[in-house]
Amino acid sequence: MQVVSDSNYKCTLSRESLEKAKRELNEDPDTRLIEVKTLRTRLEKVPGLKARTDINFLLPFLRARKFDQERAFQLVKNYYEVRRESPEIFDDLKPSRVQHVIDDGIIEVLKERDNQGCRVLVVRPGKWDPDRYSVQEMPRSTYLLMAKLVEEEETQVHGVHIINDLSGITLKQVSHIGPTAARQYVHIMQDVIPLRLKRYDYVNEPSFFDVLFTIFKQFMKEKLVKRIYLNGSKFDKLHESMNPDFLPTDLGGQQKPYANKEWIQDFMSSDLQFTEDNKYGFVSMTLNTEKQDSKNIDAGIQGLGGTFKKLEL
């Protein structure tokens, strides 16, 4: 994500998307910069946090939380806090480190959007070989791809649609997916990445799906659970949400799987960008975990954002 100054920022949203942002996200072009500056000021006063504060970085957080300053502020802190708490996923995080996951065809970003304008990701966990690499590669890869999608202003407004194709998944693979990995994956999806997760389709669920879903559902908020669709081997509901002409053949569509090579090439060539982003975050320090009223936090410099309650997962 390119760093630009406030004065050089130019909104790339289409007229229709901007109207949707006004209607659904409370975005006001006349006060957009003021909202960014307010969030920036708060973050600059958080003890121990070196955050990116350019407009291209902060605006997605405001859009993801409908320009609610308190919720956007917490989302940015979540974004950096999870990186500090889970070094096994986030240390030296860059696309080249998940090349094997991409090569195995586990995650695909489709060329076309769905009927609601959402970016569409297809996840095929059945292609994962647990003997070659750990389950933590799944949240790592998902985070990186979605962090790249955050760059797209249209996606910031319309959101993301995930299709989880469980064909080929085995009990051996499920045995490697414990509560820790499930919590990390769900937490990244709903509490860390500044994108709206608008729809989540499961297809080709196996007979033991209830066991697998129970592991993940315990960490899902009700809002996310309501956006989940179970399709089995039939794609009627999926095709109602997206023209099958734009879906891969294994989802009843007309496109060859992994046809969006241009996007993957762009993603895989962005190591330097992620290396720069990895320079930001919490410095080594002990954080006070006592809860503090947000109004009191804003009242003084020393207290501003300086205390953190433990993330409720």
Short mmCIF file of all heavy atoms in Angstrom, two decimals, residues 79-128:
data_model
loop_
_atom_site.label_atom_id
_atom_site.label_comp_id
_atom_site.label_asym_id
_atom_site.label_seq_id
_atom_site.Cartn_x
_atom_site.Cartn_y
_atom_site.Cartn_z
N TYR A 79 -4.91 -4.89 15.08
CA TYR A 79 -4.05 -5.18 13.93
C TYR A 79 -2.59 -5.32 14.37
O TYR A 79 -1.88 -6.24 13.94
CB TYR A 79 -4.20 -4.05 12.92
CG TYR A 79 -3.36 -4.15 11.68
CD1 TYR A 79 -3.80 -4.84 10.56
CD2 TYR A 79 -2.11 -3.51 11.61
CE1 TYR A 79 -3.03 -4.91 9.41
CE2 TYR A 79 -1.34 -3.58 10.46
CZ TYR A 79 -1.80 -4.27 9.36
OH TYR A 79 -1.03 -4.34 8.22
N TYR A 80 -2.15 -4.42 15.24
CA TYR A 80 -0.76 -4.48 15.70
C TYR A 80 -0.58 -5.41 16.90
O TYR A 80 0.48 -6.02 17.06
CB TYR A 80 -0.26 -3.07 16.04
CG TYR A 80 0.05 -2.27 14.79
CD1 TYR A 80 -0.67 -1.12 14.47
CD2 TYR A 80 1.06 -2.68 13.92
CE1 TYR A 80 -0.38 -0.39 13.33
CE2 TYR A 80 1.36 -1.96 12.77
CZ TYR A 80 0.63 -0.82 12.48
OH TYR A 80 0.93 -0.10 11.33
N GLU A 81 -1.60 -5.52 17.74
CA GLU A 81 -1.48 -6.38 18.91
C GLU A 81 -1.35 -7.85 18.51
O GLU A 81 -0.56 -8.60 19.09
CB GLU A 81 -2.69 -6.19 19.83
CG GLU A 81 -2.62 -6.96 21.13
CD GLU A 81 -1.60 -6.41 22.10
OE1 GLU A 81 -1.04 -5.33 21.85
OE2 GLU A 81 -1.34 -7.09 23.11
N VAL A 82 -2.11 -8.29 17.50
CA VAL A 82 -2.05 -9.69 17.09
C VAL A 82 -0.69 -10.03 16.51
O VAL A 82 -0.20 -11.15 16.65
CB VAL A 82 -3.18 -10.02 16.09
CG1 VAL A 82 -2.92 -9.42 14.72
CG2 VAL A 82 -3.38 -11.53 15.96
N ARG A 83 -0.05 -9.05 15.89
CA ARG A 83 1.29 -9.28 15.35
C ARG A 83 2.30 -9.48 16.48
O ARG A 83 3.25 -10.26 16.35
CB ARG A 83 1.70 -8.10 14.46
CG ARG A 83 0.81 -7.93 13.24
CD ARG A 83 1.00 -6.57 12.60
NE ARG A 83 2.26 -6.49 11.88
CZ ARG A 83 2.38 -6.65 10.56
NH1 ARG A 83 1.31 -6.90 9.82
NH2 ARG A 83 3.55 -6.54 9.99
N ARG A 84 2.10 -8.76 17.58
CA ARG A 84 2.99 -8.89 18.73
C ARG A 84 2.75 -10.21 19.47
O ARG A 84 3.69 -10.84 19.96
CB ARG A 84 2.76 -7.72 19.69
CG ARG A 84 3.77 -7.62 20.83
CD ARG A 84 3.45 -6.45 21.74
NE ARG A 84 2.24 -6.70 22.49
CZ ARG A 84 2.21 -7.29 23.69
NH1 ARG A 84 3.33 -7.69 24.25
NH2 ARG A 84 1.07 -7.48 24.32
N GLU A 85 1.48 -10.65 19.52
CA GLU A 85 1.13 -11.83 20.29
C GLU A 85 1.38 -13.14 19.53
O GLU A 85 1.46 -14.20 20.16
CB GLU A 85 -0.34 -11.77 20.72
CG GLU A 85 -0.63 -10.69 21.74
CD GLU A 85 -2.09 -10.72 22.18
OE1 GLU A 85 -2.91 -11.31 21.45
OE2 GLU A 85 -2.38 -10.14 23.24
N SER A 86 1.45 -13.08 18.20
CA SER A 86 1.58 -14.31 17.41
C SER A 86 2.77 -14.23 16.46
O SER A 86 2.61 -14.23 15.24
CB SER A 86 0.28 -14.57 16.62
OG SER A 86 -0.83 -14.66 17.47
N PRO A 87 3.98 -14.20 17.00
CA PRO A 87 5.16 -14.08 16.13
C PRO A 87 5.33 -15.28 15.21
O PRO A 87 5.95 -15.16 14.15
CB PRO A 87 6.33 -13.97 17.13
CG PRO A 87 5.81 -14.61 18.40
CD PRO A 87 4.35 -14.26 18.43
N GLU A 88 4.77 -16.44 15.59
CA GLU A 88 4.89 -17.62 14.74
C GLU A 88 4.19 -17.43 13.40
O GLU A 88 4.49 -18.12 12.42
CB GLU A 88 4.34 -18.85 15.45
CG GLU A 88 2.83 -18.91 15.61
CD GLU A 88 2.29 -18.07 16.77
OE1 GLU A 88 3.09 -17.37 17.40
OE2 GLU A 88 1.08 -18.13 17.01
N ILE A 89 3.26 -16.49 13.34
CA ILE A 89 2.56 -16.17 12.10
C ILE A 89 3.11 -14.91 11.44
O ILE A 89 3.29 -14.86 10.22
CB ILE A 89 1.04 -16.00 12.36
CG1 ILE A 89 0.42 -17.33 12.75
CG2 ILE A 89 0.33 -15.44 11.12
CD1 ILE A 89 -1.06 -17.24 13.08
N PHE A 90 3.41 -13.90 12.24
CA PHE A 90 3.63 -12.57 11.68
C PHE A 90 5.10 -12.14 11.56
O PHE A 90 5.37 -11.13 10.92
CB PHE A 90 2.86 -11.53 12.50
CG PHE A 90 1.37 -11.69 12.40
CD1 PHE A 90 0.66 -12.38 13.37
CD2 PHE A 90 0.68 -11.19 11.32
CE1 PHE A 90 -0.71 -12.55 13.26
CE2 PHE A 90 -0.69 -11.35 11.20
CZ PHE A 90 -1.39 -12.03 12.17
N ASP A 91 6.02 -12.86 12.16
CA ASP A 91 7.43 -12.48 12.01
C ASP A 91 7.87 -12.60 10.56
O ASP A 91 7.62 -13.62 9.90
CB ASP A 91 8.31 -13.35 12.91
CG ASP A 91 8.40 -12.81 14.32
OD1 ASP A 91 7.74 -11.79 14.62
OD2 ASP A 91 9.12 -13.41 15.14
N ASP A 92 8.53 -11.55 10.06
CA ASP A 92 9.05 -11.54 8.68
C ASP A 92 7.98 -11.94 7.68
O ASP A 92 8.21 -12.75 6.78
CB ASP A 92 10.27 -12.47 8.57
CG ASP A 92 11.03 -12.25 7.26
OD1 ASP A 92 11.02 -11.12 6.73
OD2 ASP A 92 11.63 -13.22 6.77
N LEU A 93 6.80 -11.36 7.84
CA LEU A 93 5.66 -11.75 7.02
C LEU A 93 5.72 -11.07 5.65
O LEU A 93 5.71 -9.85 5.55
CB LEU A 93 4.37 -11.34 7.73
CG LEU A 93 3.06 -11.91 7.19
CD1 LEU A 93 3.06 -13.42 7.31
CD2 LEU A 93 1.87 -11.33 7.95
N LYS A 94 5.77 -11.89 4.60
CA LYS A 94 5.81 -11.38 3.23
C LYS A 94 5.40 -12.50 2.28
O LYS A 94 5.47 -13.69 2.62
CB LYS A 94 7.19 -10.85 2.89
CG LYS A 94 8.33 -11.83 3.12
CD LYS A 94 9.68 -11.14 2.99
CE LYS A 94 10.82 -12.10 3.30
NZ LYS A 94 12.14 -11.42 3.27
N PRO A 95 4.95 -12.15 1.08
CA PRO A 95 4.42 -13.16 0.15
C PRO A 95 5.36 -14.32 -0.17
O PRO A 95 4.89 -15.45 -0.31
CB PRO A 95 4.10 -12.33 -1.10
CG PRO A 95 3.76 -10.98 -0.57
CD PRO A 95 4.70 -10.78 0.59
N SER A 96 6.65 -14.05 -0.28
CA SER A 96 7.56 -15.14 -0.64
C SER A 96 7.56 -16.26 0.39
O SER A 96 7.89 -17.41 0.07
CB SER A 96 8.98 -14.61 -0.83
OG SER A 96 9.47 -14.03 0.37
N ARG A 97 7.15 -15.96 1.61
CA ARG A 97 7.12 -16.97 2.66
C ARG A 97 5.93 -17.91 2.52
O ARG A 97 5.87 -18.95 3.19
CB ARG A 97 7.10 -16.31 4.04
CG ARG A 97 8.40 -15.59 4.39
CD ARG A 97 8.53 -15.39 5.88
NE ARG A 97 8.61 -16.66 6.58
CZ ARG A 97 8.53 -16.78 7.91
NH1 ARG A 97 8.36 -15.71 8.67
NH2 ARG A 97 8.60 -17.97 8.50
N VAL A 98 4.95 -17.56 1.68
CA VAL A 98 3.79 -18.44 1.48
C VAL A 98 3.70 -18.89 0.03
O VAL A 98 2.63 -19.31 -0.43
CB VAL A 98 2.48 -17.76 1.93
CG1 VAL A 98 2.52 -17.44 3.42
CG2 VAL A 98 2.20 -16.50 1.11
N GLN A 99 4.82 -18.83 -0.68
CA GLN A 99 4.85 -19.25 -2.08
C GLN A 99 4.33 -20.68 -2.23
O GLN A 99 3.60 -21.00 -3.17
CB GLN A 99 6.29 -19.15 -2.61
CG GLN A 99 6.46 -19.62 -4.05
CD GLN A 99 6.04 -18.60 -5.07
OE1 GLN A 99 6.56 -17.49 -5.06
NE2 GLN A 99 5.12 -18.96 -5.94
N HIS A 100 4.71 -21.55 -1.31
CA HIS A 100 4.30 -22.96 -1.39
C HIS A 100 2.79 -23.11 -1.28
O HIS A 100 2.20 -23.98 -1.91
CB HIS A 100 5.01 -23.78 -0.31
CG HIS A 100 4.89 -23.20 1.07
ND1 HIS A 100 5.52 -22.04 1.46
CD2 HIS A 100 4.20 -23.62 2.16
CE1 HIS A 100 5.24 -21.78 2.72
NE2 HIS A 100 4.43 -22.72 3.16
N VAL A 101 2.15 -22.27 -0.47
CA VAL A 101 0.69 -22.34 -0.31
C VAL A 101 0.01 -21.91 -1.61
O VAL A 101 -0.96 -22.54 -2.05
CB VAL A 101 0.23 -21.45 0.86
CG1 VAL A 101 -1.29 -21.48 1.01
CG2 VAL A 101 0.90 -21.89 2.16
N ILE A 102 0.53 -20.87 -2.23
CA ILE A 102 -0.02 -20.40 -3.50
C ILE A 102 0.20 -21.45 -4.58
O ILE A 102 -0.71 -21.77 -5.36
CB ILE A 102 0.63 -19.07 -3.92
CG1 ILE A 102 0.43 -18.00 -2.82
CG2 ILE A 102 0.08 -18.59 -5.25
CD1 ILE A 102 -1.01 -17.69 -2.52
N ASP A 103 1.40 -22.00 -4.63
CA ASP A 103 1.72 -23.00 -5.65
C ASP A 103 0.84 -24.24 -5.51
O ASP A 103 0.52 -24.90 -6.52
CB ASP A 103 3.19 -23.40 -5.56
CG ASP A 103 4.13 -22.29 -6.00
OD1 ASP A 103 3.66 -21.33 -6.64
OD2 ASP A 103 5.35 -22.38 -5.70
N ASP A 104 0.45 -24.59 -4.29
CA ASP A 104 -0.39 -25.76 -4.06
C ASP A 104 -1.86 -25.50 -4.39
O ASP A 104 -2.68 -26.41 -4.33
CB ASP A 104 -0.27 -26.22 -2.60
CG ASP A 104 1.06 -26.91 -2.32
OD1 ASP A 104 1.79 -27.19 -3.29
OD2 ASP A 104 1.35 -27.17 -1.14
N GLY A 105 -2.19 -24.27 -4.72
CA GLY A 105 -3.56 -23.94 -5.12
C GLY A 105 -4.55 -23.87 -3.98
O GLY A 105 -5.75 -24.09 -4.17
N ILE A 106 -4.06 -23.56 -2.78
CA ILE A 106 -4.94 -23.55 -1.62
C ILE A 106 -5.81 -22.29 -1.58
O ILE A 106 -6.95 -22.33 -1.11
CB ILE A 106 -4.11 -23.69 -0.32
CG1 ILE A 106 -3.45 -25.08 -0.30
CG2 ILE A 106 -4.96 -23.48 0.92
CD1 ILE A 106 -2.50 -25.29 0.84
N ILE A 107 -5.30 -21.17 -2.08
CA ILE A 107 -6.06 -19.92 -2.08
C ILE A 107 -6.03 -19.30 -3.47
O ILE A 107 -4.97 -19.25 -4.11
CB ILE A 107 -5.50 -18.91 -1.05
CG1 ILE A 107 -5.47 -19.53 0.35
CG2 ILE A 107 -6.36 -17.66 -1.03
CD1 ILE A 107 -4.94 -18.60 1.42
N GLU A 108 -7.19 -18.84 -3.92
CA GLU A 108 -7.30 -18.21 -5.22
C GLU A 108 -8.14 -16.94 -5.11
O GLU A 108 -9.18 -16.93 -4.45
CB GLU A 108 -7.96 -19.17 -6.21
CG GLU A 108 -8.23 -18.57 -7.58
CD GLU A 108 -8.96 -19.53 -8.51
OE1 GLU A 108 -9.40 -20.60 -8.04
OE2 GLU A 108 -9.06 -19.20 -9.70
N VAL A 109 -7.70 -15.86 -5.73
CA VAL A 109 -8.48 -14.63 -5.83
C VAL A 109 -9.06 -14.57 -7.24
O VAL A 109 -8.32 -14.57 -8.22
CB VAL A 109 -7.61 -13.38 -5.57
CG1 VAL A 109 -8.44 -12.11 -5.71
CG2 VAL A 109 -6.98 -13.45 -4.17
N LEU A 110 -10.37 -14.54 -7.35
CA LEU A 110 -11.01 -14.55 -8.66
C LEU A 110 -10.90 -13.19 -9.35
O LEU A 110 -10.78 -12.15 -8.70
CB LEU A 110 -12.48 -14.94 -8.53
CG LEU A 110 -12.78 -16.31 -7.91
CD1 LEU A 110 -14.27 -16.63 -8.01
CD2 LEU A 110 -11.95 -17.41 -8.57
N LYS A 111 -10.94 -13.21 -10.67
CA LYS A 111 -10.84 -11.97 -11.45
C LYS A 111 -12.05 -11.07 -11.24
O LYS A 111 -11.93 -9.86 -11.09
CB LYS A 111 -10.70 -12.29 -12.94
CG LYS A 111 -9.33 -12.78 -13.37
CD LYS A 111 -9.29 -12.92 -14.89
CE LYS A 111 -7.89 -13.31 -15.35
NZ LYS A 111 -7.81 -13.43 -16.82
N GLU A 112 -13.24 -11.67 -11.26
CA GLU A 112 -14.47 -10.90 -11.21
C GLU A 112 -15.04 -10.86 -9.80
O GLU A 112 -14.78 -11.75 -8.97
CB GLU A 112 -15.51 -11.49 -12.16
CG GLU A 112 -15.06 -11.59 -13.61
CD GLU A 112 -14.87 -10.24 -14.26
OE1 GLU A 112 -15.48 -9.26 -13.78
OE2 GLU A 112 -14.12 -10.17 -15.26
N ARG A 113 -15.84 -9.84 -9.54
CA ARG A 113 -16.49 -9.70 -8.25
C ARG A 113 -17.86 -10.38 -8.26
O ARG A 113 -18.38 -10.72 -9.34
CB ARG A 113 -16.65 -8.21 -7.90
CG ARG A 113 -15.31 -7.49 -7.76
CD ARG A 113 -15.48 -5.99 -7.57
NE ARG A 113 -14.18 -5.34 -7.46
CZ ARG A 113 -13.53 -5.14 -6.33
NH1 ARG A 113 -14.08 -5.52 -5.18
NH2 ARG A 113 -12.35 -4.56 -6.32
N ASP A 114 -18.44 -10.56 -7.08
CA ASP A 114 -19.77 -11.17 -7.04
C ASP A 114 -20.84 -10.11 -7.32
O ASP A 114 -20.53 -8.97 -7.64
CB ASP A 114 -20.00 -11.91 -5.71
CG ASP A 114 -20.19 -10.98 -4.51
OD1 ASP A 114 -20.26 -9.75 -4.70
OD2 ASP A 114 -20.28 -11.49 -3.38
N ASN A 115 -22.10 -10.49 -7.20
CA ASN A 115 -23.19 -9.60 -7.57
C ASN A 115 -23.29 -8.36 -6.69
O ASN A 115 -23.93 -7.37 -7.07
CB ASN A 115 -24.53 -10.36 -7.53
CG ASN A 115 -24.58 -11.49 -8.53
OD1 ASN A 115 -23.79 -11.52 -9.48
ND2 ASN A 115 -25.50 -12.43 -8.34
N GLN A 116 -22.70 -8.41 -5.50
CA GLN A 116 -22.71 -7.28 -4.58
C GLN A 116 -21.43 -6.44 -4.67
O GLN A 116 -21.25 -5.50 -3.89
CB GLN A 116 -22.90 -7.77 -3.14
CG GLN A 116 -24.17 -8.57 -2.94
CD GLN A 116 -25.41 -7.78 -3.31
OE1 GLN A 116 -25.55 -6.61 -2.95
NE2 GLN A 116 -26.33 -8.41 -4.04
N GLY A 117 -20.56 -6.79 -5.59
CA GLY A 117 -19.31 -6.04 -5.75
C GLY A 117 -18.18 -6.52 -4.88
O GLY A 117 -17.10 -5.91 -4.85
N CYS A 118 -18.38 -7.64 -4.16
CA CYS A 118 -17.35 -8.16 -3.26
C CYS A 118 -16.22 -8.84 -4.04
O CYS A 118 -16.46 -9.52 -5.04
CB CYS A 118 -17.94 -9.18 -2.30
SG CYS A 118 -19.19 -8.54 -1.18
N ARG A 119 -15.00 -8.68 -3.56
CA ARG A 119 -13.89 -9.50 -4.03
C ARG A 119 -14.13 -10.94 -3.55
O ARG A 119 -14.61 -11.16 -2.43
CB ARG A 119 -12.58 -8.99 -3.45
CG ARG A 119 -11.80 -8.07 -4.34
CD ARG A 119 -11.33 -8.73 -5.60
NE ARG A 119 -10.27 -7.97 -6.25
CZ ARG A 119 -9.64 -8.35 -7.33
NH1 ARG A 119 -9.94 -9.50 -7.89
NH2 ARG A 119 -8.71 -7.61 -7.87
N VAL A 120 -13.77 -11.91 -4.39
CA VAL A 120 -14.06 -13.31 -4.07
C VAL A 120 -12.76 -14.10 -3.90
O VAL A 120 -11.91 -14.10 -4.80
CB VAL A 120 -14.94 -13.96 -5.15
CG1 VAL A 120 -15.27 -15.40 -4.78
CG2 VAL A 120 -16.22 -13.14 -5.36
N LEU A 121 -12.63 -14.74 -2.74
CA LEU A 121 -11.50 -15.65 -2.48
C LEU A 121 -12.03 -17.07 -2.41
O LEU A 121 -13.05 -17.32 -1.75
CB LEU A 121 -10.82 -15.32 -1.15
CG LEU A 121 -9.79 -14.19 -1.11
CD1 LEU A 121 -10.48 -12.84 -1.18
CD2 LEU A 121 -8.97 -14.29 0.17
N VAL A 122 -11.36 -17.98 -3.09
CA VAL A 122 -11.68 -19.39 -3.00
C VAL A 122 -10.56 -20.07 -2.21
O VAL A 122 -9.38 -19.94 -2.55
CB VAL A 122 -11.82 -20.04 -4.39
CG1 VAL A 122 -12.17 -21.53 -4.24
CG2 VAL A 122 -12.89 -19.33 -5.21
N VAL A 123 -10.96 -20.77 -1.15
CA VAL A 123 -9.99 -21.48 -0.30
C VAL A 123 -10.24 -22.98 -0.45
O VAL A 123 -11.39 -23.44 -0.35
CB VAL A 123 -10.14 -21.07 1.18
CG1 VAL A 123 -9.07 -21.74 2.04
CG2 VAL A 123 -10.06 -19.55 1.32
N ARG A 124 -9.19 -23.72 -0.72
CA ARG A 124 -9.30 -25.17 -0.92
C ARG A 124 -8.37 -25.90 0.06
O ARG A 124 -7.29 -26.37 -0.31
CB ARG A 124 -8.94 -25.52 -2.37
CG ARG A 124 -9.86 -24.87 -3.42
CD ARG A 124 -9.42 -25.24 -4.83
NE ARG A 124 -10.31 -24.73 -5.86
CZ ARG A 124 -10.17 -23.55 -6.47
NH1 ARG A 124 -9.17 -22.74 -6.11
NH2 ARG A 124 -11.01 -23.17 -7.41
N PRO A 125 -8.77 -26.01 1.33
CA PRO A 125 -7.90 -26.63 2.34
C PRO A 125 -7.61 -28.10 2.08
O PRO A 125 -6.65 -28.64 2.63
CB PRO A 125 -8.69 -26.44 3.64
CG PRO A 125 -10.11 -26.26 3.21
CD PRO A 125 -10.04 -25.56 1.90
N GLY A 126 -8.41 -28.76 1.24
CA GLY A 126 -8.14 -30.16 0.93
C GLY A 126 -6.83 -30.37 0.21
O GLY A 126 -6.31 -31.49 0.15
N LYS A 127 -6.27 -29.29 -0.34
CA LYS A 127 -4.99 -29.38 -1.05
C LYS A 127 -3.79 -29.21 -0.11
O LYS A 127 -2.64 -29.30 -0.55
CB LYS A 127 -4.94 -28.32 -2.15
CG LYS A 127 -5.95 -28.56 -3.28
CD LYS A 127 -5.82 -27.51 -4.37
CE LYS A 127 -6.77 -27.80 -5.52
NZ LYS A 127 -6.42 -29.06 -6.24
N TRP A 128 -4.06 -28.95 1.16
CA TRP A 128 -2.98 -28.78 2.13
C TRP A 128 -2.44 -30.14 2.58
O TRP A 128 -3.19 -31.02 2.95
CB TRP A 128 -3.50 -27.98 3.33
CG TRP A 128 -2.65 -28.06 4.56
CD1 TRP A 128 -1.31 -27.83 4.64
CD2 TRP A 128 -3.09 -28.40 5.88
NE1 TRP A 128 -0.88 -28.01 5.94
CE2 TRP A 128 -1.96 -28.36 6.71
CE3 TRP A 128 -4.32 -28.73 6.42
CZ2 TRP A 128 -2.02 -28.62 8.08
CZ3 TRP A 128 -4.40 -29.01 7.78
CH2 TRP A 128 -3.25 -28.95 8.59
#
